[in-house]
Amino acid sequence: MISEAFAQIEFAAPAGDISFFALFLGAHIVVKIVMLGLIFASVWCWAIIVDKQLLYTRTKRQMNRFENVFWSGQSLEDLYQTLVSRANTSMAALFVAAMREWKRSQEGKKPAIASLQQRIDRVMDVTIMREMERLENRLLVLATVGSAAPFVGLFGTVWGIMISFQAIAASKNTNLTVVAPGIAEALFATALGLVAAIPAVIAYNKYSADAARLGARMEGFADEFSAILSRQIDERTQG
Amino acid sequence: MRTGLVVSIIGHVVVLCWGLIAFPSAKPYSVEPVDALPVDLVPIEEITKTRIGDKTASKDNAPAPAPAEKPTEATEKAPDPGKKPAKAAKPSPAKAEPAPQAEPEAEKEPAPAPQVEPAPAEEPAPEKAEAKEETPEPPKPVKVVPQSKPTPPKHTRTTAAQPIKNRQEPKKKDTFDPNEISNLLSKVEPEGGTQTAVNEPAGLGANKATQQQGLSASDLDLLVSEVKERWNYVPDTFPPDLVVRVQFQLSRDGHLIGTPQIMNSHPYPRFRQLAEAAIRAIIAVDRSEGFSFLPRDCYEGNGGWNTVLANLKPQ
């Protein structure tokens, strides 16, 4: 195993150069685990980032399209018929949920109109909450990685430097060429921690702001739609 | 989520591959080669010690090598060991001319002096000192030389004085043997250095030797060069064995005590002028900087510079 490792180092870093691979292989086992964990965290963070970017773009596009259709003067009944058969998200889901409650209240022999307005509001609140949860799902992972990864990397560095100092003491040679590789390996852990943390923090701030904006937009639509339905309800009860 | 994960993994793999290829290109700092400075660690006592060791060793078989060494003697350290054996070996011919009377005394003295208490040593010293005072310096150098050397002991400690006596004997011999003189040329020797030579004939050399502490080679060189810098004389083709031997005493703060004295003579017609110029040079050194550059802790003792005997060779 050892000889293999050395062979790999030779392959990866001829003439004693320091490559990622050599840095990783030369590190202590604890530092290796830290590095692997940080690399995994980085992969996961970027997966979330990509996912959220796609999700928010799609959501925004859907909202725009729905609003266009909604305010185009088209009959709400027709719109509902079109949408009810699909799996809807965001504003469409709000609309469908409210319309479904409205329809159900109209059906039957005794239309339950007295507290229909409250029920519709509640249904739309629940739908908004569900949508928001979907949008903000896994954003907390970014926040966690963003705050914890530097510390994890620092831990790896401290550990690696401890080990390399012990090695220096054992070798009784303080020549910089002897000291440097161990410290470089240790510092590599901090580098990985920062590599994982920086995008995570930036992405968390960006996407939580985006999610809040989308939520506000949905709430605005819900209020507007609630006002429209309330007017309808009042007209019917008076009529 | 799946697309995100796939994209992320692919992205990381790409970055890692890039790091594998591009990252290793850290350029080594350009370090200009620094020329190594040769450094010799030389203990201050090195010279005196080497002399001691060599003397005892070469005593037996010395005579032959002595003449051969003359040409190489420019450097001080290496030749030293060789020279002394030569001196020690040839005492008898040298003695004959200069002062037959003085020498036997001188030889006897050294033996007791080094090991025995200072008292016995002093006794002979004052006698000689008196004799020297009476005699004018240059004209009678031959007789004076052997006896006069003891004089320094008055001012300096007895231990210091004795080495001087001891010294002279070998040098006396040298002055008469041209070949050997050339070996000693342009050297300044603290008394300690030659003292052992005297001891050897008495068979006591080894004991004293270990106690000696003398000026280092660099200190001696410095002293000689300081004097020579101010030694003004008319250039000439000097006889190869011409040397001016000056003895002078120094105070602890590195200043001259009394007047330097010429300790030898030479048939060379302008020897007198040379010798006086040398004295002036020593006085000039004293007036300008003094001899305070000599290490303080070597002032006293067998090899100390309280009394300095300098062999100056004009070039």
Side-chain angles (χ1 to χ4, degrees):
Chain A
M1 285 298 289
I2 291 174
S3 61
E4 277 181 25
F6 279 134
Q8 281 175 324
I9 289 173
E10 286 297 319
F11 177 74
D17 281 336
I18 297 175
S19 71
F20 285 173
F21 211 52
L23 284 176
F24 176 76
L25 286 177
H28 187 255
I29 180 68
V30 173
V31 185
K32 274 182 188 169
I33 291 172
V34 166
M35 287 179 183
L36 285 178
L38 288 172
I39 290 175
F40 175 76
S42 177
V43 169
W44 186 239
C45 279
W46 277 100
I48 292 171
I49 290 169
V50 171
D51 184 50
K52 289 297 165 198
Q53 183 62 45
L54 295 176
L55 176 65
Y56 289 0
T57 319
R58 195 169 59 230
T59 304
K60 213 176 289 175
R61 202 170 53 232
Q62 284 171 351
M63 282 179 175
N64 290 339
R65 204 191 307 151
F66 178 81
E67 278 187 326
N68 282 339
V69 174
F70 184 81
W71 298 110
S72 66
Q74 186 184 359
S75 157
L76 295 184
E77 189 64 33
D78 292 345
L79 187 57
Y80 174 69
Q81 292 302 335
T82 326
L83 293 175
V84 77
S85 57
R86 311 181 195 165
N88 292 300
T89 56
S90 65
M91 281 186 190
L94 268 182
F95 173 77
V96 168
M99 284 299 287
R100 188 180 296 132
E101 185 57 37
W102 166 272
K103 287 259 179 192
R104 279 188 193 150
S105 301
Q106 299 291 334
E107 290 169 358
K109 297 169 186 174
K110 290 184 182 176
I113 296 182
S115 57
L116 177 59
Q117 178 68 47
Q118 295 171 10
R119 285 200 303 278
I120 288 175
D121 284 349
R122 199 161 301 155
V123 165
M124 285 202 293
D125 279 349
V126 168
T127 311
I128 286 177
M129 261 170 53
R130 208 171 285 146
E131 285 298 308
M132 285 303 292
E133 190 187 331
R134 195 173 60 85
L135 288 176
E136 291 181 341
N137 184 22
R138 297 203 184 97
L139 270 188
L140 275 183
V141 174
L142 292 182
T144 307
V145 169
S147 57
F151 294 113
V152 176
L154 194 58
F155 167 73
T157 294
V158 169
W159 190 274
I161 286 185
M162 276 167 51
I163 297 297
S164 62
F165 271 131
Q166 287 175 357
I168 291 165
S171 63
K172 292 173 182 169
N173 185 350
T174 55
N175 191 331
L176 199 55
T177 54
V178 174
V179 175
I183 299 199
E185 284 159 14
L187 289 175
F188 190 47
T190 297
L192 282 181
L194 294 177
V195 164
I198 292 171
V201 170
I202 294 173
Y204 174 75
N205 287 331
K206 179 186 188 302
Y207 291 133
S208 58
D210 282 359
R213 208 176 301 132
L214 292 176
R217 203 170 159 185
M218 276 192 290
E219 286 196 2
F221 171 77
D223 287 347
E224 281 174 333
F225 189 49
S226 171
I228 293 171
L229 288 181
S230 167
R231 195 165 55 241
Q232 293 279 334
I233 291 167
D234 285 354
E235 285 174 0
R236 298 212 177 186
T237 47
Q238 287 171 6
Chain B
M1 193 65 208
R2 191 177 300 160
T3 43
L5 199 55
V6 170
V7 169
S8 171
I9 288 174
I10 292 174
H12 279 80
V13 169
V14 167
V15 169
L16 281 179
C17 289
W18 170 81
L20 213 60
I21 298 165
F23 194 72
S25 63
K27 295 171 186 170
Y29 298 113
S30 63
V31 179
E32 294 182 2
V34 179
D35 293 340
L37 288 177
V39 175
D40 293 335
L41 297 180
V42 180
I44 291 180
E45 309 83 353
E46 186 190 83
I47 289 187
T48 49
K49 279 182 180 174
T50 53
R51 284 175 185 172
I52 292 158
D54 291 338
K55 289 175 187 172
T56 54
S58 56
K59 188 177 173 184
D60 301 334
N61 49 3
E69 291 178 359
K70 303 171 193 172
T72 60
E73 301 229 327
T75 60
E76 291 187 0
K77 293 183 183 180
D80 284 348
K83 302 171 187 175
K84 291 172 184 174
K87 301 174 190 174
K90 299 183 180 177
S92 59
K95 293 177 185 175
E97 286 190 22
Q101 302 170 347
E103 288 199 349
E105 291 180 0
E107 280 192 355
K108 289 177 184 177
E109 289 175 2
Q115 294 177 344
V116 184
E117 302 170 359
E122 282 190 0
E123 294 176 0
E127 296 175 3
K128 295 178 181 176
E130 292 178 359
K132 192 201 174 181
E133 289 179 355
E134 295 173 0
T135 58
E137 321 170 326
K140 297 184 182 177
V142 179
K143 289 181 183 179
V144 173
V145 173
Q147 293 177 345
S148 63
K149 294 170 185 175
T151 54
K154 290 184 188 175
H155 308 281
T156 62
R157 293 192 178 184
T158 54
T159 52
Q162 291 175 354
I164 297 176
K165 299 177 192 172
N166 301 340
R167 250 220 194 156
Q168 274 196 341
E169 297 179 31
K171 288 177 184 176
K172 271 195 268 172
K173 303 162 191 175
D174 295 341
T175 55
F176 295 98
D177 182 349
N179 294 339
E180 295 189 56
I181 287 176
S182 65
N183 295 342
L184 296 177
L185 293 180
S186 74
K187 273 190 186 179
V188 175
E189 293 173 309
E191 302 86 353
T194 43
Q195 181 181 3
T196 54
V198 180
N199 292 340
E200 286 180 2
L204 301 173
N207 293 337
K208 270 285 177 178
T210 55
Q211 297 176 353
Q212 284 185 344
Q213 291 180 345
L215 293 174
S216 68
S218 54
D219 288 330
L220 294 175
D221 281 343
L222 185 56
L223 196 152
V224 169
S225 66
E226 288 284 335
V227 172
K228 278 193 172 177
E229 253 180 34
R230 296 168 173 79
W231 191 14
N232 297 317
Y233 49 83
V234 181
D236 192 359
T237 53
F238 299 104
D241 60 342
L242 176 60
V243 70
V244 178
R245 182 171 305 151
V246 186
Q247 177 175 299
F248 53 96
Q249 283 146 30
L250 297 173
S251 65
R252 188 173 285 276
D253 58 358
H255 284 290
L256 204 56
I257 298 178
T259 312
Q261 292 172 338
I262 305 301
M263 309 303 283
N264 67 342
S265 70
H266 194 276
Y268 180 70
R270 280 168 29 214
F271 177 80
R272 177 82 183 261
Q273 285 94 320
L274 268 180
E276 284 171 358
I279 290 174
R280 282 196 300 274
I282 292 169
I283 292 173
V285 172
D286 179 50
R287 283 184 185 158
S288 64
E289 309 155 357
F291 294 90
S292 51
F293 54 81
L294 297 172
R296 286 287 165 96
D297 48 356
C298 295
Y299 178 73
E300 293 178 331
N302 293 332
W305 47 273
N306 44 16
T307 301
V308 177
L309 184 63
N311 292 326
L312 302 171
K313 186 189 182 189
Q315 292 171 346

